Amino acid sequence: MSNFLVKKVAILGAGVMGAQIAAHCVNARVPVILYDLPGKEGQPRNALAERAVEQLKKLNPAPLADAAQAGLIELANFDDHLDRLPEADLVIEAIAERMDWKHQLYAKIGAHMAPHAIFATNTSGLSITALASALPDALRSRFCGVHFFNPPRYMHLVELIPTAATEAGILDRLETFLTSTLGKGVVRALDTPNFIANRVGIFGMLATMHEAEQFGLSYDLVDDLTGAKLGRAKSGTFRTADVVGLDTLGHVIRTMTDTLADDPFHSLYRQPPALAQLLADGRLGQKAGAGFYKKAGKDILRYDAAKNDYLPSGAKADDLIARILKEKDAGKRMKALHDSTHAQARFLWAVFRDTFHYIAVHLESIADNARDVDFALRWGFGWKQGPFELWQAAGWQQVAQWVKEDIDAGRALSSVPLPGWVVDGRDGVHRPEGSWSPAKQAYVPRSSLPVYERQAFRAPLVGSGQAQGATAGATVHEDESVRLWHRGDGVLVFSTKTKMHVMGPDVIAGLERAIAEAENNYRALVIWHADSADGGAFSAGADLQAMLPTFMAGGAKALDPFVARFQNTMMRVKYANVPVVAAVAGLALGGGCELLMHASRRVVSLESYVGLVEVGVGLVPAGGGLKEIALRSAREAKGNDLLQFLRERYTQAATAAVSKSALEAKKMGYLSKGDVIVLHPHELLHVAATQALAMADAGYRPPLASLIPVTGRYGSATIKAQLVNLRDGGFISAHDMHIGSLIADVVSGGDIEPGSQVSEQWLLDRERGAFISLLGHPKTEERIMGMLQTGKPVRN
């Protein structure tokens, strides 16, 4: 098995998780068979699996990066198709959480698996060892837990859980596949109830609910305090419970109640009275239309347990607490919460104290080291910092002393003391050499599996001393807006430092400098940003805020030189004498979309959202995006009816359509056939640099400029006639029609004969003219100011 490769996956169980794991395999271009029970009499034999795949197309957020690929999931049932099971190199069981049902299935399928296949269960908390007891020895050695989080496409975490019998190399092979092929963050957990993320995360929710009751805080206020302000999922605590499903939460709590009788925090492992009441009433959260919250028309109501009724919601954190939570220094922030007499601050300190106490007591029993706990909570529950990271950043010994004082005073949830290693004088659990393992009494380094060599910069960790993209490598040039640097491989990297990587005059000047530097001294140029792997943007477009002073001083025409320079820089990207590769993740909007369109090649994270969105602020794309639409449509038409090919791409720009994935961006024409889509965003820089060097090795030459056939006045008139119908039908405003007409004029080449051939500069001049004319329009000015002030588009 040294050359083990997952060529095909079989998923056993087409429920919510099984079907979505199958969908994500398709996202990663991995063939997959989805099994379920055979249909009832009179139904198709694969009815259950077929229904599950149909449901995938309706779910939001979408499990499939391209809904049209749902048909790539192969359907099967347990009675008729077990002879196909040997095709799979990896078999993942994802049926209901019943030990007896799982054992029955294992007995049925065990003899049908390929002798090399890995068998894994997606259980969220059942004992992996107990599940393995039903397997023959030969299969038991290839069995482990592989716990995906819901929804599997978007949640980064997968927990791997071995048994004592699991073959040593199985987890390495599975971790490699999950990391690079499916794009996941893998944490290895011990075989304890609910593993790491759910064990700590659900405890945290229960502790928060308990402390909220103690301090008399309403659910909406608690969610405001424990959401984005705390660096956690914006849904907070109670809203998150509704989204997860109160029945699911209840099941996890029951698992803890039944299996953790000796836990010193066992008294908390019970359904809070409010949760028990909601479950008894069948109010199961979002899927049932009511839980801790329910929607009434346009209003969101919150549950009031005392009245067993719903009241208006919208409570917010006190201004004093909001200011404390904005403090960037973790030590000052934690001290302010600890020392305050304000009820909301005392509540937050209690929540932190309970979590710190819990993870210190349980680290040795649930995880190999502290790093695994931090990554599990970050990747599985959406925390910006893991609990050990936060504790260390706030001052390890001081926080430990505060926790100890609360334990001694009886204010903590349990009287169990902190472990000795916590108070032995250390400054934290993360160091450059590794993270603390109580069981090994040592700092454990990160995994050295070869797959991680593909990650130029791995997930950051407080205290690890790990160089990140913002500071790593050798700097060639750096200013407030950009950084040019390299890693000694012949590739110059261009990174911007602006918020959302917006592009103003300084960024454009930096990009021009990068191209010149790369042409003179390097083999290739890669455009990549340091935060792209951790939820950042590729670029949200032009920097409207930076352009505002020039506009206020000289009017719309004063911006003509900047727009012309922006266009010229995009053309420099396109016709550079070295390959320019855009490494894209997250938002690539407006000018960001235009930048990637002009690159020699694009390496794109699956979770990339690409589009020309300028109409949202009353403008037209003016960085060459419309020019590229005309060019690419002509290239696709190959002499056939050009308007047929142009119309769809025109509509995308005129409606500010944004792709919901990189696969959609490719279908929309923003990516090319040869562009590379990667699943793990931390591999972006590695793959982009590899692609760039391969292009250089192949003797890269920039494209030759050529004339572009356009539809002329015929194409423009046809599109405008459709706009009139939309305006008259009330679907678009008069200003929308005006903007749409200008876009039509640009992509059609203007008032010239159909079939005329024009240069790229001809189209760029029309883009720029339309852009400048709109800048002076009062309706566009309203849209721009609305976006700058509220961050939301204005319809006028």
Side-chain angles (χ1 to χ4, degrees):
M1 292 178 67
S2 58
N3 295 319
F4 178 81
L5 177 68
V6 176
K7 299 183 286 293
K8 194 166 195 173
V9 174
I11 308 293
L12 310 182
V16 172
M17 287 300 292
Q20 291 195 65
I21 294 169
H24 195 57
C25 288
V26 169
N27 292 339
R29 302 176 300 282
V30 177
V32 61
I33 311 173
L34 180 62
Y35 283 84
D36 210 302
L37 296 169
K40 296 179 181 178
E41 187 173 346
Q43 294 181 327
R45 295 293 287 172
N46 296 329
L48 294 182
E50 186 176 341
R51 192 180 308 140
V53 171
E54 284 302 309
Q55 186 65 22
L56 289 174
K57 303 174 187 177
K58 304 173 185 177
L59 291 178
N60 185 29
L64 288 158
D66 178 1
Q69 294 190 352
L72 297 178
I73 299 175
E74 302 174 36
L75 307 181
N77 68 75
F78 296 129
D79 284 1
D80 302 334
H81 303 115
L82 290 183
D83 60 339
R84 298 195 57 200
L85 203 55
E87 298 173 20
D89 308 291
L90 171 62
V91 179
I92 299 175
E93 171 268 304
I95 68 169
E97 291 286 77
R98 285 271 302 266
M99 183 79 71
D100 54 341
W101 290 358
K102 290 178 187 288
H103 279 173
Q104 290 169 20
L105 178 62
Y106 295 180
K108 184 170 186 173
I109 57 97
H112 295 273
M113 277 189 275
H116 70 277
I118 295 175
F119 185 31
T121 174
N122 183 57
T123 180
S124 59
L126 295 179
S127 166
I128 309 301
T129 300
L131 286 170
S133 66
L135 297 172
D137 290 345
L139 187 52
R140 197 177 302 170
S141 65
R142 292 181 275 121
F143 181 75
C144 64
V146 55
H147 181 212
F148 287 81
F149 277 65
N150 191 21
R153 171 183 164 187
Y154 302 95
M155 297 305 294
H156 192 54
L157 177 65
V158 173
E159 291 173 315
L160 284 185
I161 312 100
T163 71
T166 305
E167 184 183 316
I170 287 293
L171 293 189
D172 290 350
R173 297 174 191 119
L174 200 46
E175 182 168 346
T176 296
F177 170 75
L178 292 166
T179 300
S180 193
T181 304
L182 296 190
K184 296 303 172 188
V186 175
V187 164
R188 299 195 184 190
L190 302 183
D191 187 12
T192 55
N194 295 333
F195 314 129
I196 299 175
N198 277 343
R199 177 75 176 270
V200 177
I202 297 302
F203 166 83
M205 292 178 73
L206 289 171
T208 300
M209 292 176 180
H210 171 82
E211 300 296 357
E213 186 177 345
Q214 297 300 304
F215 286 93
L217 305 183
S218 64
Y219 303 144
D220 50 344
L221 176 57
V222 169
D223 281 349
D224 190 60
L225 286 166
T226 61
K229 289 183 174 70
L230 212 62
R232 300 182 183 179
K234 63 181 180 181
S235 51
T237 301
F238 293 97
R239 177 63 182 153
T240 296
D242 272 0
V243 172
V244 169
L246 301 189
D247 52 341
T248 301
L249 177 62
H251 170 76
V252 176
I253 295 170
R254 279 195 301 276
T255 299
M256 298 172 83
T257 303
D258 296 343
T259 59
L260 295 169
D262 296 330
D263 190 314
F265 295 86
H266 185 266
S267 63
L268 197 70
Y269 301 157
R270 59 178 179 83
Q271 293 179 0
L275 174 60
Q277 182 63 57
L278 290 169
L279 289 172
D281 294 343
R283 291 178 278 189
L284 307 181
Q286 181 175 277
K287 61 187 173 186
F292 287 110
Y293 295 92
K294 80 171 183 178
K295 195 170 183 181
K298 293 184 179 180
D299 297 326
I300 303 295
L301 306 180
R302 66 168 175 84
Y303 182 61
D304 184 291
K307 298 178 180 179
N308 194 24
D309 199 0
Y310 289 87
L311 303 176
S313 67
K316 300 293 182 184
D318 188 270
D319 288 344
L320 170 65
I321 307 305
R323 287 196 298 273
I324 291 174
L325 294 178
K326 286 180 180 178
E327 169 60 56
K328 292 185 178 180
D329 185 298
K332 292 179 180 178
R333 187 168 67 246
M334 195 65 70
K335 185 177 191 315
L337 293 175
H338 175 269
D339 293 351
S340 176
T341 58
H342 193 293
Q344 294 177 22
R346 291 169 58 215
F347 160 75
L348 287 173
W349 160 249
V351 168
F352 282 125
R353 175 203 65 216
D354 297 342
T355 301
F356 295 154
H357 189 191
Y358 191 81
I359 59 175
V361 169
H362 286 299
L363 172 58
E364 184 171 356
S365 65
I366 66 173
D368 176 66
N369 60 76
R371 177 179 56 248
D372 290 340
V373 173
D374 280 340
F375 284 157
L377 272 295
R378 280 166 49 179
W379 297 341
F381 275 74
W383 295 15
K384 286 188 177 179
Q385 273 190 325
F388 281 118
E389 287 184 288
L390 178 58
W391 185 348
Q392 182 163 333
W396 184 270
Q397 286 302 326
Q398 177 61 78
V399 172
Q401 181 60 35
W402 289 335
V403 173
K404 182 179 183 301
E405 289 171 359
D406 278 9
I407 296 170
D408 293 343
R411 291 188 291 267
L413 293 177
S414 170
S415 60
V416 64
L418 291 171
W421 60 264
V422 172
V423 290
D424 64 0
R426 70 180 60 243
D427 58 3
V429 289
H430 303 305
R431 293 181 178 177
E433 63 266 31
S435 296
W436 179 250
S437 170
K440 297 174 181 174
Q441 289 292 296
Y443 289 88
V444 177
R446 289 196 180 192
S447 170
S448 58
L449 284 176
V451 68
Y452 292 111
E453 295 173 7
R454 296 172 57 83
Q455 298 183 14
F457 304 102
R458 296 172 70 172
L461 192 71
V462 167
S464 68
Q466 175 187 345
Q468 289 299 308
T471 56
T475 300
V476 175
H477 166 77
E478 186 169 14
D479 55 38
E480 290 185 357
S481 299
V482 304
R483 180 174 180 243
L484 280 58
W485 57 285
H486 69 88
R487 297 183 296 153
D489 57 359
V491 176
L492 183 66
V493 182
F494 172 77
S495 302
T496 65
K497 299 158 65 177
T498 54
K499 185 177 181 180
M500 298 290 284
H501 304 292
V502 292
M503 294 179 284
D506 292 344
V507 170
I508 293 302
L511 183 53
E512 292 169 344
R513 180 170 187 158
I515 295 167
E517 181 71 29
E519 288 179 330
N520 290 329
N521 299 307
Y522 296 85
R523 301 177 62 205
L525 174 65
V526 167
I527 301 169
W528 175 87
H529 306 308
D531 62 353
S532 60
D534 297 299
F538 175 70
S539 174
D543 188 350
L544 296 176
Q545 197 82 48
M547 292 190 284
L548 197 57
T550 303
F551 174 76
M552 298 299 289
K557 289 186 177 178
L559 286 171
D560 189 86
F562 169 73
V563 180
R565 187 178 185 185
F566 193 106
Q567 291 180 334
N568 292 338
T569 304
M570 295 303 104
M571 294 294 277
R572 282 284 286 126
V573 169
K574 181 172 183 175
Y575 292 106
N577 288 314
V578 294
V580 179
V581 177
V584 181
L587 297 175
L589 304 177
C593 177
E594 290 171 312
L595 175 56
L596 72 84
M597 290 175 80
H598 285 85
S600 316
R601 183 165 293 173
R602 289 140 291 273
V603 173
V604 188
S605 169
L606 180 73
E607 301 308 331
S608 295
Y609 312 105
V610 183
L612 297 170
V613 298
E614 285 82 356
V615 298
V617 288
L619 296 169
V620 301
L626 298 182
K627 177 262 298 180
E628 284 296 306
I629 283 177
L631 187 155
R632 294 177 186 203
S633 298
R635 190 178 295 153
E636 278 189 15
K638 297 178 182 177
N640 296 310
D641 179 10
L642 175 54
L643 186 57
Q644 175 186 340
F645 291 85
L646 181 64
R647 188 181 281 115
E648 183 177 352
R649 288 184 175 172
Y650 160 82
T651 301
Q652 291 166 186
T655 59
V658 176
S659 74
K660 296 181 177 65
S661 70
L663 289 176
E664 259 195 27
K666 186 170 280 193
K667 290 180 73 173
M668 293 168 74
Y670 293 127
L671 308 185
S672 301
K673 186 176 292 186
D675 291 338
V676 179
I677 296 175
V678 299
L679 273 286
H680 202 303
H682 281 275
E683 294 185 357
L684 268 179
L685 181 56
H686 166 81
V687 177
T690 301
Q691 290 283 317
L693 289 172
M695 294 170 74
D697 286 341
Y700 175 80
R701 298 288 300 172
L704 294 173
S706 60
L707 295 177
I708 305 164
V710 293
T711 59
R713 62 178 69 94
Y714 160 72
S716 180
T718 302
I719 293 173
K720 288 177 182 177
Q722 296 171 339
L723 291 175
V724 170
N725 292 334
L726 290 171
R727 182 200 61 192
D728 292 348
F731 297 103
I732 61 174
S733 69
H735 194 50
D736 290 329
M737 180 175 168
H738 177 54
I739 299 168
S741 297
L742 290 175
I743 295 175
D745 285 337
V746 174
V747 297
S748 299
D751 187 16
I752 57 177
E753 288 295 320
S756 297
Q757 297 200 3
V758 300
S759 67
E760 290 182 85
Q761 191 59 50
W762 172 275
L763 295 173
L764 287 171
D765 291 344
R766 273 138 194 81
E767 275 190 17
R768 190 170 72 257
F771 183 91
I772 297 299
S773 72
L774 283 168
L775 268 178
H777 197 292
K779 294 286 187 182
T780 287
E781 291 177 14
E782 288 176 13
R783 292 190 182 189
I784 291 174
M785 294 310 297
M787 179 62 74
L788 289 175
Q789 291 170 2
T790 69
K792 298 178 181 178
V794 173
R795 289 301 308 272
N796 57 6

